[in-house]
Amino acid sequence: MYCVKKVTDDLIWVGANDRRLAMFEGVYSVPGGVSYNSYLLMDEKTVLFDTVDKAVRHRLMENITEVLGTRKLDYLVVLHMEPDHSAAIEELAGKYPEMKIVCNSKTLTFIKQFFNFDIDSRAMVVGEKETLNTGKHTLHFLMAPMVHWPEVMVAYDSTDKILFSADAFGSFGALNGALFADEVDFDKDYIDETRRYYSNIVGKYGTQVRTLLEKASALEIELLCPLHGFVWRKNIDHIVSKYVLWSHYTPEEYGVMIAYASVYGNTENAAEILACRLRDKGIKTAMYDVSVTPASEIVSAAFRWSHLVFASTTYNAGIFITMEDLISDLVAHNIQNRTVAIIENGTWAATSGRLIQEKLQQCTNLTILDDIVSIKSGVKAEQVSQIEAMADAIIATFPKSVPVSDSSASVMPHQPVLNKLSYGLFVLTTKDGDKDNGCIINTVNQITESPARIAVSVHKANYTCELIGKTGEFNVSILDTSVPFRVFEQFGFSSGRAFDKFAECSYETRTVNGIRYVPEHTNAVVSAKVVEAVDCGTHEMFIAEVTQASMLSQEPSVTYQYYFDHIKPAPKIPEEHKKGFVCRVCGYLYEGDTLPDGYVCPLCKHGVEAFEPA
Ligand code: FEO
């Protein structure tokens, strides 16, 4: 019997679930099953987006037959040719002889490799940004090579703002009667399987995923329809923000994943002692016995945690088998940006630590702590001290404060955050060594979308300007309409050369670049690295590439006008000083008949254009 679900009035999910599959792709256990999503668009023309695995092909055919009724299938769009999504192509071609197959040239090659029917006569080959109108709907095709195969493309329905995202945003796990992510407790029940799917299936291809995210960030998306897992219609930013983190190999959480291989329990004992010492000091830990836990779960955990510890016995003069497999898997999945510590064991010749170190040196940007704890059989008192020293060395690499990626703030693709920019008011912050500084600016513009670049303009008299010139990095905290005047006093009316702008702050929040940002009265924060400095006379303009963009709230950005209308107190001009010019920004009164050329407000550093007669 057919089993379909309505996505929109004219889009029907016609896929199927499989809970009998033991190993997805022959290597990943799927205890919660897996869904193969296929979507049927009932427009003036009918369009099927991908098919399913051969195990559930029969259900797909029943579903399509039911939804189409007496209509024929006009188009099959093949976004991904991997057999778990393409098993029914030939059967559909036989059943619907007039059906066109919409694909790209690479897909066409793969269809011919997998099947023997006449494809050329029915192929409709599309390229980047080409479109297909089906009546009410227009589909736009965007190539997404290596997310997860080279032929992958996605389709955007600009009528209903739906992104058919192929493997991207997919998950392990059968749907269990639900279709939308908001119908389940996603973070409790499905985030781990979504991370495991991402890290193992497309984790290697972070660069290519980021390219797709850049393309997607230019689209207004109301529905996200992947080939596995749930459809997203609410809180799409949530899953997108996870993809931003994962594709940049940025840890989701600060904490230590300890993976150990232990034959007789002694290496496990060392790992346990380390975990206890870390927990004693408030560090989150997760432990895995690599001989028991499937490698895919540990790879997934490695994508989650910031610090990784590998503890392995020596076996056949090498790394223990299951640990060697795990390390190879992590290298193959391109793990990056982690701090690593190693424990080895060997009764007569411990070599596993050095060998693990050598293998991991193939990875990009791993910080491997120098001191390997070496155990000869059982853990002795002197090794307990070494393990404690290792715990301290690991903790020393943790940031003093929680970076934004570990806060409740979601990390977004750049575009939605950059859309917050206006002729508004911002806190520009930077850092030189231990010195944090910031100032208020009103000029931040996005100048290019790909790569995402912004320009900030800051008065040369500002200490922040000098520090950015030196360090080349900064954050922009985009202030929202809840911002009180004291924030402008704090960052705008004194010099960082003389005062610590953060002295009164009860918070210490930093983005991944280590620079502070303002977490209160701020709706978003953008981190950027300077690519060019332009001397604009009184101001320096820094053109910078966005390295991180994080949404903090949905409050509207404060505009310059809003500041004047609602935030800035009316200047108090003493009766005896009626003559002069008042700075409209901060209220400073310049006493005199004429304002000198090039005058700069000593409080807020705005120029003559900000002054008006008192
Ligand atoms: Fe679910 Fe890459 O296929």
Side-chain angles (χ1 to χ4, degrees):
M1 173 57 81
Y2 70 90
C3 181
V4 302
K5 298 275 288 187
K6 188 167 140 180
V7 184
T8 66
D9 283 345
D10 51 11
L11 185 69
I12 315 295
W13 178 85
V14 289
N17 296 288
D18 184 357
R19 296 180 188 78
R20 285 201 164 181
L21 182 67
M23 301 299 259
F24 183 81
E25 291 186 3
V27 64
Y28 306 114
S29 57
V30 278
V34 65
S35 76
Y36 302 105
N37 297 339
S38 174
Y39 305 92
L40 183 52
L41 179 65
M42 299 296 285
D43 201 359
E44 287 171 28
K45 299 288 184 185
T46 59
V47 186
L48 183 71
F49 294 90
D50 292 291
T51 74
V52 295
D53 188 81
K54 65 178 183 300
V56 292
R57 193 176 59 193
H58 176 65
R59 181 73 62 240
L60 172 82
M61 297 306 289
E62 270 189 321
N63 288 345
I64 293 171
T65 304
E66 169 61 26
V67 177
L68 284 176
T70 56
R71 298 184 65 183
K72 61 185 170 53
L73 183 59
D74 296 303
Y75 296 106
L76 167 63
V77 173
V78 182
L79 299 175
H80 186 14
M81 248 316 282
E82 196 167 5
D84 57 331
H85 307 292
S86 61
I89 292 180
E90 187 165 4
E91 191 172 345
L92 284 166
K95 184 166 181 181
Y96 303 103
E98 295 168 45
M99 177 188 82
K100 295 285 182 197
I101 296 180
V102 183
C103 60
N104 59 46
S105 56
K106 192 86 182 166
T107 312
L108 186 61
T109 303
F110 287 2
I111 293 174
K112 289 176 181 175
Q113 289 175 197
F114 277 104
F115 296 103
N116 293 311
F117 67 96
D118 168 31
I119 168 73
D120 287 323
S121 64
R122 62 174 74 234
M124 182 184 287
V125 175
V126 293
E128 178 76 6
K129 293 190 177 169
E130 289 190 358
T131 59
L132 172 66
N133 184 273
T134 61
K136 192 178 114 191
H137 296 258
T138 301
L139 305 174
H140 305 249
F141 299 100
L142 300 168
M143 302 303 122
M146 299 320 299
V147 186
H148 140 236
W149 276 21
E151 88 297 355
V152 171
M153 61 181 186
V154 300
Y156 178 64
D157 173 355
S158 55
T159 307
D160 281 350
K161 300 180 175 52
I162 303 171
L163 183 68
F164 297 93
S165 60
D167 273 349
F169 310 111
S171 176
F172 291 131
L175 298 179
N176 302 325
L179 178 62
F180 298 101
D182 56 273
E183 294 178 273
V184 298
D185 190 341
F186 183 82
D187 279 345
K188 176 171 166 283
D189 297 328
Y190 290 93
I191 185 64
D192 288 343
E193 283 299 78
T194 305
R195 185 190 305 104
R196 188 165 72 92
Y197 178 85
Y198 174 87
S199 53
N200 287 279
I201 305 298
V202 283
K204 181 181 177 66
Y205 304 110
T207 307
Q208 292 83 352
V209 173
R210 293 200 297 273
T211 302
L212 175 59
L213 290 172
E214 287 286 343
K215 291 183 182 183
S217 70
L219 307 172
E220 196 179 337
I221 299 170
E222 292 184 358
L223 273 175
L224 202 50
C225 294
L227 287 175
H228 300 285
F230 296 106
V231 171
W232 288 79
R233 64 183 171 186
K234 294 181 182 171
N235 205 11
I236 290 174
D237 290 350
H238 185 53
I239 185 68
V240 172
S241 69
K242 291 293 181 190
Y243 264 62
V244 173
L245 284 178
W246 296 335
S247 65
H248 283 86
Y249 303 96
T250 301
E252 276 174 271
E253 287 193 69
Y254 275 83
V256 184
M257 181 203 88
I258 303 172
Y260 64 88
S262 187
V263 178
Y264 295 108
N266 293 306
T267 310
E268 178 186 41
N269 180 220
E272 294 276 14
I273 293 168
L274 177 65
C276 289
R277 294 296 83 80
L278 289 166
R279 278 279 172 183
D280 288 347
K281 298 190 176 178
I283 302 296
K284 289 181 187 173
T285 51
M287 296 188 70
Y288 300 92
D289 183 330
V290 299
S291 299
V292 175
T293 305
S296 68
E297 286 185 33
I298 309 177
V299 168
S300 176
F303 271 70
R304 176 178 178 180
W305 297 103
S306 60
H307 289 62
L308 313 177
V309 174
F310 301 102
S312 178
T313 189
T314 301
Y315 202 73
N316 289 332
I319 307 167
F320 188 75
I321 313 146
T322 47
M323 179 61 80
E324 184 157 29
D325 288 348
L326 172 68
I327 300 289
S328 299
D329 229 359
L330 285 169
V331 172
H333 285 88
N334 218 358
I335 191 74
Q336 300 174 23
N337 304 329
R338 299 296 191 273
T339 300
V340 173
I342 299 168
I343 298 172
E344 67 177 4
N345 198 349
T347 299
W348 61 94
T351 59
S352 56
R354 179 179 50 79
L355 294 171
I356 290 172
Q357 206 171 39
E358 284 172 8
K359 277 178 89 85
L360 288 176
Q361 275 158 0
Q362 299 169 65
C363 298
T364 303
N365 203 17
L366 287 191
T367 303
I368 304 176
L369 300 184
D370 287 335
D371 292 332
I372 295 173
V373 172
S374 191
I375 296 159
K376 284 190 164 67
S377 310
V379 178
K380 304 297 179 197
E382 67 268 26
Q383 281 135 11
V384 171
S385 316
Q386 290 169 11
I387 292 169
E388 285 171 349
M390 175 176 274
D392 290 339
I394 291 170
I395 292 167
T397 65
F398 274 61
K400 289 192 183 74
S401 59
V402 181
V404 74
S405 57
D406 195 24
S407 74
S408 56
S410 63
V411 181
M412 300 289 300
H414 301 150
Q415 192 59 45
V417 173
L418 294 174
N419 287 343
K420 293 279 184 192
L421 295 178
S422 66
Y423 188 65
L425 288 159
F426 314 91
V427 180
L428 178 69
T429 48
T430 189
K431 170 178 183 287
D432 181 21
D434 292 335
K435 176 69 180 173
D436 297 304
N437 198 50
C439 67
I440 299 282
I441 59 169
N442 61 13
T443 314
V444 179
N445 293 301
Q446 183 182 0
I447 51 174
T448 59
E449 184 184 325
S450 182
R453 284 187 176 166
I454 57 173
V456 304
S457 182
V458 56
H459 199 285
K460 286 178 179 172
N462 272 310
Y463 185 39
T464 309
C465 182
E466 180 185 324
L467 295 184
I468 294 174
K470 192 172 164 193
T471 64
E473 286 195 278
F474 60 82
N475 285 344
V476 173
S477 298
I478 303 174
L479 297 173
D480 64 41
T481 50
S482 71
V483 63
F485 189 64
R486 67 172 165 74
V487 171
F488 297 94
E489 293 178 303
Q490 179 184 346
F491 288 101
F493 297 174
S494 60
S495 170
R497 289 189 178 85
F499 297 96
D500 176 1
K501 299 276 189 94
F502 292 93
E504 311 261 304
C505 293
S506 56
Y507 48 78
E508 183 178 336
T509 45
R510 296 179 189 275
T511 47
V512 171
N513 61 11
I515 296 173
R516 294 184 77 153
Y517 67 99
V518 180
E520 297 172 318
H521 315 296
T522 298
N523 60 23
V525 59
V526 178
S527 303
K529 205 172 236 182
V530 175
V531 292
E532 190 180 345
V534 182
D535 186 338
C536 301
T538 57
H539 286 63
E540 192 84 14
M541 181 169 72
F542 295 108
I543 298 171
E545 191 145 331
V546 174
T547 55
Q548 188 182 0
S550 308
M551 196 77 85
L552 304 185
S553 82
Q554 296 304 317
E555 289 293 316
S557 302
V558 69
T559 63
Y560 215 44
Q561 190 60 48
Y562 189 93
Y563 169 78
F564 287 120
D565 293 345
H566 302 285
I567 299 171
K568 184 177 81 75
K572 293 189 185 71
I573 302 169
E575 281 299 310
E576 64 274 24
H577 294 307
K578 283 275 183 177
K579 278 175 66 178
F581 296 85
V582 177
C583 174
R584 288 184 295 114
V585 177
C586 68
Y588 177 79
L589 175 71
Y590 173 83
E591 294 176 53
D593 293 334
T594 52
L595 206 54
D597 283 347
Y599 185 74
V600 174
C601 175
L603 284 185
C604 68
K605 303 293 186 297
H606 282 76
V608 290
E609 71 285 351
F611 282 80
E612 60 190 11

